[in-house]
Amino acid sequence: FMAATPMIKLFLSVFSTMLTVREMSPFREEFYLLDNRREGLITLGGFYNGLMCAPSVVSGDVDLYAAYDAIAVSMNHRHAGGILYREYITATMLGVIRFDDSRIKVCFDLLDIDNQGHLTAESLRKALGDDLQEIEYLNVVSEGDRNNNGRVTYDDFFHRWKAFENEYLLRTCLEVDSGAALSTSTVT
C-alpha cells in the first residue's frame, strides 16, 4: 500500500466499501488486535507494539513508522491520532481480496455518479465530497488520463489498476524469492 499512487489508493478506498461482511472478517480480527485501547483507532503505539514481532519487521524489511504514515494519511482523511478501521482494510486488503473485472467496473461506476462514462476532477468531487483538496482530485485524474484530456475512461481506469496489480504481484514475488534465497543461504 505504501507504493500505491493516489488513484490506486482512491480505488482501494472505494473498493473497501464494497466488501462483504465475510470478506472483512479477517481484517476485523487483525484490527482488534492492534486497537489496544478499543477506541476503533489504531494508534502509532498500538501499531508498533502489535507488529514488532512480524517477520518483515524483525528482518528490517519494513519501516513501521513509514508504513503507519502511509496508512494513516491515505487519501488525506484529515484526522489525527491513528488509523481508522476502513483505512486499515483499505491498506491491508491487497493480496487478500480478489479484484475481478466485474468488481473493478462496479467501483468505476460508483465514482461515475453522472453516468458520463468517464471521471473528471469535478465528478470525483461530486462522488466523494470535499474529502480531498482540488489538487488531489486533479492528481488522481492526471494519473489515469492516458489521452491527456482531463478524463479517465473505464478503459483508462482498468488499465491503471491492472498495471498496478502487475507491479504489486511482481514486487511480492521478488520479496518472496529474496526471502527464500535468504533463508536457503542461512541454512547452508
Side-chain angles (χ1 to χ4, degrees):
F1 187 78
M2 289 170 49
T5 62
M7 183 177 180
I8 297 303
K9 287 181 179 181
L10 174 66
F11 170 82
L12 292 170
S13 180
V14 172
F15 193 84
S16 73
T17 67
M18 299 167 34
L19 298 177
T20 66
V21 171
R22 184 176 181 185
E23 289 172 318
M24 289 184 351
S25 179
F27 304 111
R28 186 178 328 114
E29 293 169 19
E30 290 172 1
F31 185 87
Y32 183 78
L33 291 173
L34 296 172
D35 178 17
N36 55 0
R37 294 183 186 172
R38 305 298 177 254
E39 298 174 331
L41 190 73
I42 301 172
T43 62
L44 177 58
F47 186 76
Y48 187 83
N49 291 335
L51 295 180
M52 276 309 296
C53 296
S56 58
V57 174
V58 172
S59 68
D61 292 339
V62 172
D63 175 355
L64 283 180
Y65 293 106
Y68 180 84
D69 286 342
I71 296 169
V73 298
S74 65
M75 295 310 296
N76 196 14
H77 285 285
R78 291 177 182 49
H79 68 82
I83 300 168
L84 299 171
Y85 180 57
R86 183 65 63 186
E87 288 178 312
Y88 182 78
I89 291 172
T90 299
T92 58
M93 69 182 168
L94 280 172
V96 178
I97 301 295
R98 177 151 162 61
F99 301 94
D100 61 31
D101 296 357
S102 64
R103 282 182 140 181
I104 295 169
K105 176 70 170 129
V106 168
C107 183
F108 179 85
D109 290 343
L110 285 171
L111 292 169
D112 182 19
I113 61 170
D114 294 332
N115 295 319
Q116 298 176 41
H118 62 266
L119 307 174
T120 63
E122 183 58 33
S123 68
L124 289 173
R125 182 184 328 292
K126 285 182 186 178
L128 302 171
D130 291 326
D131 284 350
L132 303 176
Q133 296 176 0
E134 176 70 17
I135 190 70
E136 293 169 299
Y137 287 119
L138 292 170
N139 287 340
V140 167
V141 171
S142 175
E143 177 187 337
D145 179 8
R146 295 189 299 168
N147 299 323
N148 295 320
N149 61 2
R151 298 176 178 176
V152 177
T153 65
Y154 174 71
D155 288 339
D156 294 338
F157 187 80
F158 185 81
H159 179 266
R160 183 63 195 108
W161 171 254
K162 288 300 182 180
F164 173 77
E165 191 175 52
N166 289 336
E167 293 164 12
Y168 174 78
L169 291 173
L170 178 62
R171 193 170 40 255
T172 303
C173 288
L174 290 175
E175 288 171 3
V176 168
D177 285 348
S178 67
L182 179 64
S183 65
T184 303
S185 65
T186 305
V187 172
T188 55

